[in-house]
Amino acid sequence: MKYRVPAATSSTLPTRVALWLLDSPRLGQANSVKRLAGNLLKQPALDGEVEAQSRLGQMLCRDCGNPRDRRIGLDLLRQAARAGDRRAQLELGRLYSLPRHHEPEQARHWLELAAAQGSHEAARLLSRLAQHA
C-alpha cells in the first residue's frame, strides 16, 4: 500500500520525512535520527513552514544543551505559536511555567490559546498554574 499525503497539507517533503522519523517509535529517540530530522527541518522552518518551525523549535528547546540553540528554538516556537500552531503554544506555555523562565503571564497567555484550540494538556496546566498563583 502506498503512502499518500492529504492534498490539504502544505508540508514539504523534507518536513514530512523529518516528522515521520521523529514520530517513529523505534527511530525517533536516537540522537542521530534527531540530528538528521533537525537538518531536514531547518530550511523549511527558515522558509516559514509553521509545522517545521514548531517541531524544530521543540527539538532545540528540549534536546540541545547550549543557550544559543535554545534561544533559536524559543524564537521558532514563538513564530509557530503566533501562526496558530497549538503544539507550539502548548510548548511555550510549558517553558514559560518552568523555574528557568518563570514568566507566569506568558505561560497563561500561550496555554489559554492552546486550550481554546482543544488542548486538554494546556487546560490541565492552566488549572495547575492558577493554583500556584
Side-chain angles (χ1 to χ4, degrees):
M1 179 174 188
K2 289 185 178 180
Y3 175 74
R4 291 179 39 169
V5 177
T9 187
S10 63
S11 296
T12 60
L13 181 60
T15 300
R16 291 192 309 257
V17 171
L19 297 180
W20 177 80
L21 287 169
L22 292 171
D23 293 339
S24 171
R26 283 192 349 209
L27 299 173
Q29 298 307 311
N31 287 334
S32 60
V33 172
K34 288 180 183 179
R35 198 168 22 261
L36 173 62
N39 286 332
L40 288 169
L41 290 171
K42 194 178 298 182
Q43 190 58 52
L46 290 172
D47 291 342
E49 197 174 307
V50 174
E51 193 168 20
Q53 291 171 337
S54 178
R55 290 302 288 270
L56 183 57
Q58 286 177 16
M59 286 176 55
L60 291 172
C61 287
R62 290 180 183 175
D63 299 328
C64 292
N66 74 54
R68 179 182 175 271
D69 285 347
R70 284 196 304 269
R71 190 172 51 252
I72 292 168
L74 203 56
D75 288 341
L76 288 169
L77 282 174
R78 277 193 212 101
Q79 290 174 29
R82 286 182 189 126
D85 185 84
R86 180 174 73 178
R87 186 181 288 200
Q89 292 167 345
L90 174 61
E91 189 66 21
L92 279 174
R94 274 192 197 122
L95 288 171
Y96 283 127
S97 62
L98 293 175
R100 180 178 13 164
H101 296 282
H102 193 62
E103 294 185 42
E105 290 304 312
Q106 284 290 319
R108 184 173 292 107
H109 170 75
W110 293 114
L111 290 172
E112 285 174 350
L113 290 174
Q117 290 193 59
S119 171
H120 298 293
E121 177 71 9
R124 187 182 66 74
L125 289 171
L126 264 174
S127 67
R128 193 164 23 149
L129 194 62
Q131 291 172 355
H132 292 91

